[in-house]
Amino acid sequence: IDATIMNLYRSTAKKAFALTLMAAALAACTTVGPDYHVPKEAVIKRDAANAPFMGATETPFKSDPLPANWWHLYQDPLLDKLIAKAFANNADLRVAAANLQRAHGVLDEVEEKKRPEVEMSAAPLYGRIAGAQLGIPEQLPTDGLYDGDIKIGYTLDLWGRIRRAVEASEADVGAAQAASDLTHVIVAADTTRAYAEACSAGYQLKVAQQSVDLQAKLARL
């Protein structure tokens, strides 16, 4: 009886596996909706968006990309500390980081639907059936019983719904990452601009004080 059950189980498993492969092959060929393309009227496709910057032909201009920590080019330790402090305490950066983390979480949740779900359970028992229940006068031997169960579930993406959801989530992650990068650039640039204005004001104050001293000397003369 055990051999018959095992053969029946194997035959059923092979049929189920064959049906799964057929469904997967069918899903690979059928995806709902068109592939995304940038619209023709998008701003990125305009001639003005692809034109060179004003003054790009001048000698001081360089089109090379800036390094990651471009403010280190000023070689000013105080400016480096101010920007690091701004990164640590800026509310917009915390919001951007939270949005990026949320986008990654949604992507992970959507990608989980592509993976099979496995559920396992086991129930070991140890005991003895009463002989009186079976009409046997003598005492039955003690025995152990073991019960195991494995369930595997897989969502077939027949029409590409999960695939499209993954693509949309990946696009959201890219948008959140771009927003976070832009926020970092804005915070660093604003901090650098404010620091440069403070330094300029300090130099102007120094020049003004020197002018006052010269006028005082002139008055004494």
Side-chain angles (χ1 to χ4, degrees), residues 112-192:
E112 281 294 331
K113 298 180 180 179
K114 299 191 304 182
R115 304 182 180 93
E117 298 180 359
V118 180
E119 181 180 351
M120 302 177 62
S121 62
L125 301 175
Y126 182 78
R128 173 173 62 209
I129 301 176
Q133 296 179 0
L134 304 177
I136 302 175
E138 64 269 12
Q139 185 178 5
L140 296 177
T142 303
D143 196 2
L145 300 176
Y146 304 95
D147 184 15
D149 187 16
I150 299 177
K151 296 180 181 180
I152 300 177
Y154 181 75
T155 303
L156 296 177
D157 193 13
L158 294 178
W159 307 109
R161 179 178 61 85
I162 299 178
R163 191 182 312 170
R164 292 304 190 194
V166 171
E167 292 176 357
S169 299
E170 290 176 347
D172 291 340
V173 170
Q177 183 65 57
S180 178
D181 295 340
L182 178 60
T183 306
H184 277 84
V185 171
I186 293 175
V187 171
D190 289 345
T191 305
T192 303

Side-chain angles (χ1 to χ4, degrees), residues 66-158:
L66 289 174
N69 300 329
W70 51 267
W71 53 90
H72 289 174
L73 298 175
Y74 291 101
Q75 298 181 0
D76 192 327
L78 180 56
L79 177 60
D80 298 342
K81 292 180 180 180
L82 291 174
I83 293 180
K85 186 177 180 180
F87 282 167
N89 297 278
N90 187 268
D92 293 336
L93 285 177
R94 289 197 293 268
V95 172
N99 292 334
L100 181 59
Q101 185 177 3
R102 175 184 177 276
H104 279 290
V106 173
L107 177 59
D108 294 339
E109 182 179 356
V110 174
E111 288 183 340
E112 281 294 331
K113 298 180 180 179
K114 299 191 304 182
R115 304 182 180 93
E117 298 180 359
V118 180
E119 181 180 351
M120 302 177 62
S121 62
L125 301 175
Y126 182 78
R128 173 173 62 209
I129 301 176
Q133 296 179 0
L134 304 177
I136 302 175
E138 64 269 12
Q139 185 178 5
L140 296 177
T142 303
D143 196 2
L145 300 176
Y146 304 95
D147 184 15
D149 187 16
I150 299 177
K151 296 180 181 180
I152 300 177
Y154 181 75
T155 303
L156 296 177
D157 193 13
L158 294 178

